[in-house]
Amino acid sequence: MTDTRTGLPRDATSAVAGTDGVDATGVDHAAGTPGAPRASRPTVASDATDATDTSVDAAGRAALDRPVLPLRHPLRWIAAAVVLVVLLNFVETLFTNESWGWPAVGKWLFSPAILTGLQLTLVATALSAVISFTGGIVVAIARLSRNPVLSGLAWGYVWLFRSVPLILVLVFLYNLGSLYPTIGIGIPFGPQVEVATANVLGDLAIGVIGLSLSEIAYASEIVRAGVLAVDHGQHEAAQALGLPRRRQFVRVILPQALRSIVPAFVNQVVGLLKASSLLFYVSLLDLFGVVQNLSSTYPTDIIPLLVVATLWYLALTSAVSVVQYYVERRTARGSVRALPPTPFQRVRAAVRRGSGRGPGRPGGPDRPRQAASAARGVASGPGSTIDDRTI
């Protein structure tokens, strides 16, 4: 009889299969026979894995021994050199040009007149910042209101005071007594309580009101943009909790909007600080006004007095920037996984890296530790991973 698979006699087929139980077609009959011994085969996959591990080990050691060369930026270095040369030339003029009058700068820097003007600048800026932020929130809420009267009036207010220059607002308020000798409140076309305008609006009040009216228009747009930047799902979640609309805004929406509001509003505060110099034109002797008066009295010290004003404005702006940094860092706690390091933490980390106590770069002073860590990772098997923070 013949085998239907090979066309050979069954005896021939059995002879070809031999004792291994594999016929001419390559089918292992012994594998399907219970109790039949299975023939041993060479472990080709194991040898391939060992070869791969050896190549990975060699490649890892070669990568650690290879020096790390940073990417070169010649144009960047040329630009930095040009800027540095220009800066050094300017610094040289600060010490060689006697017209700067540094002795006079030291004399006027902490003079009582300058400190009095500085105090007035701080008071006017602080009051205007608080009033403008509070008024900006109110106007922004009115602008977002569904009431057409409130939203229309808020839009008209923003349109008016964003269109009129600040100096014009201040001068107009300073001459308000000529337009309205008395200010009254009561029933329209009926009895009213009236007082003299000059008795109500002093010079400081005029300055603060003028700065605040102008800044409220800008602050309201900043607050409105911050509120609109909050995800709509937060509004829906607050409504689903059954919170009143006022509590939704105060406890849910506004804290999240502050992440967008704070940077822009602090920039407005910096601009408000510099805009306070316009109070000089409404008979308020702020820092700039005092410098102007002293310059007319001491014409030989004009440049030193201007330098004094510049130094004080730089100091005030730097202080506001520091406050802005920490306020932004605090409001970002819910939006980032890890807060960015403070300047002091960055300096301390740089000092530690310079002294060799901190984590180093690949190929740096931590090369022995990096090599040992890589060797342990390779020795532990192909399934292990090397800590990326050490390499």
Side-chain angles (χ1 to χ4, degrees):
M1 296 179 66
T2 61
D3 193 341
T4 58
R5 294 173 298 174
T6 60
L8 297 176
R10 292 187 181 274
D11 296 339
T13 304
S14 302
V16 172
T19 59
D20 293 339
V22 180
D23 58 11
T25 60
V27 179
D28 190 354
H29 296 286
T33 304
R38 183 180 297 273
S40 60
R41 298 180 181 180
T43 57
V44 179
S46 177
D47 295 341
T49 303
D50 294 341
T52 303
D53 293 345
T54 304
S55 62
V56 169
D57 189 4
R61 296 183 183 278
L64 287 174
D65 294 336
R66 187 182 302 115
V68 178
L69 299 178
L71 183 63
R72 302 183 183 277
H73 301 278
L75 295 180
R76 185 182 301 176
W77 284 105
I78 293 174
V82 171
V83 173
L84 187 60
V85 169
V86 174
L87 180 61
L88 291 177
N89 285 326
F90 175 73
V91 172
E92 180 187 4
T93 61
L94 295 178
F95 296 96
T96 58
N97 190 350
E98 297 181 356
S99 299
W100 286 102
W102 293 111
V105 171
K107 180 185 71 173
W108 291 111
L109 188 61
F110 296 101
S111 64
I114 294 293
L115 295 180
T116 302
L118 178 64
Q119 181 181 0
L120 181 60
T121 298
L122 291 175
V123 171
T125 302
L127 291 176
S128 301
V130 173
I131 295 174
S132 62
F133 184 70
T134 306
I137 294 177
V138 174
V139 175
I141 294 175
R143 184 83 181 273
L144 296 172
S145 175
R146 298 177 182 177
N147 190 319
V149 177
L150 293 179
S151 61
L153 290 177
W155 180 88
Y157 178 89
V158 172
W159 168 76
L160 176 63
F161 284 97
R162 287 176 63 183
S163 304
V164 180
L166 177 57
I167 183 63
L168 183 58
V169 175
L170 291 172
V171 175
F172 195 93
L173 289 176
Y174 187 72
N175 295 280
L176 188 62
S178 301
L179 183 61
Y180 295 104
T182 60
I183 299 177
I185 185 172
I187 301 175
F189 306 102
Q192 295 186 355
V193 178
E194 297 183 350
V195 294
T197 304
N199 297 334
V200 176
L201 298 179
D203 292 340
L204 180 59
I206 291 175
V208 172
I209 292 174
L211 291 175
S212 300
L213 288 176
S214 182
E215 290 299 320
I216 284 174
Y218 296 97
S220 66
E221 290 298 289
I222 293 173
V223 174
R224 187 175 69 92
V227 172
L228 293 177
V230 177
D231 188 76
H232 188 67
Q234 299 296 322
H235 297 264
E236 295 177 348
Q239 293 175 4
L241 292 174
L243 298 177
R245 293 183 62 87
R246 181 185 63 83
R247 191 171 180 82
Q248 291 178 24
F249 182 79
V250 175
R251 302 293 295 178
V252 178
I253 306 304
L254 185 58
Q256 299 183 61
L258 285 176
R259 292 197 297 265
S260 303
I261 293 173
V262 169
F265 183 73
V266 174
N267 288 334
Q268 286 297 118
V269 172
V270 172
L272 182 63
L273 176 64
K274 295 183 291 185
S276 63
S277 60
L278 297 176
L279 298 178
F280 170 70
Y281 296 99
V282 291
S283 302
L284 276 177
L285 293 180
D286 65 323
L287 178 60
F288 178 74
V290 170
V291 168
Q292 285 287 89
N293 283 351
L294 292 176
S295 299
S296 60
T297 306
Y298 302 94
T300 58
D301 291 344
I302 293 178
I303 297 299
L305 286 169
L306 294 177
V307 172
V308 167
T310 302
L311 293 177
W312 277 118
Y313 279 117
L314 287 175
L316 295 177
T317 304
S318 301
V320 173
S321 301
V322 172
V323 174
Q324 174 190 7
Y325 174 81
Y326 284 99
V327 172
E328 288 182 6
R329 195 170 184 269
R330 181 174 180 82
T331 56
R333 289 183 302 173
S335 61
V336 294
R337 295 184 178 180
L339 293 177
T342 63
F344 299 104
Q345 292 173 346
R346 294 177 182 176
V347 172
R348 184 172 59 185
V351 171
R352 293 185 62 184
R353 286 195 300 268
S355 60
R357 293 181 296 173
R361 297 178 302 173
D366 291 340
R367 179 185 290 274
R369 182 175 61 82
Q370 298 168 5
S373 176
R376 288 195 301 268
V378 173
S380 61
S384 64
T385 57
I386 300 175
D387 189 1
D388 294 336
R389 293 173 296 179
T390 61
I391 297 183

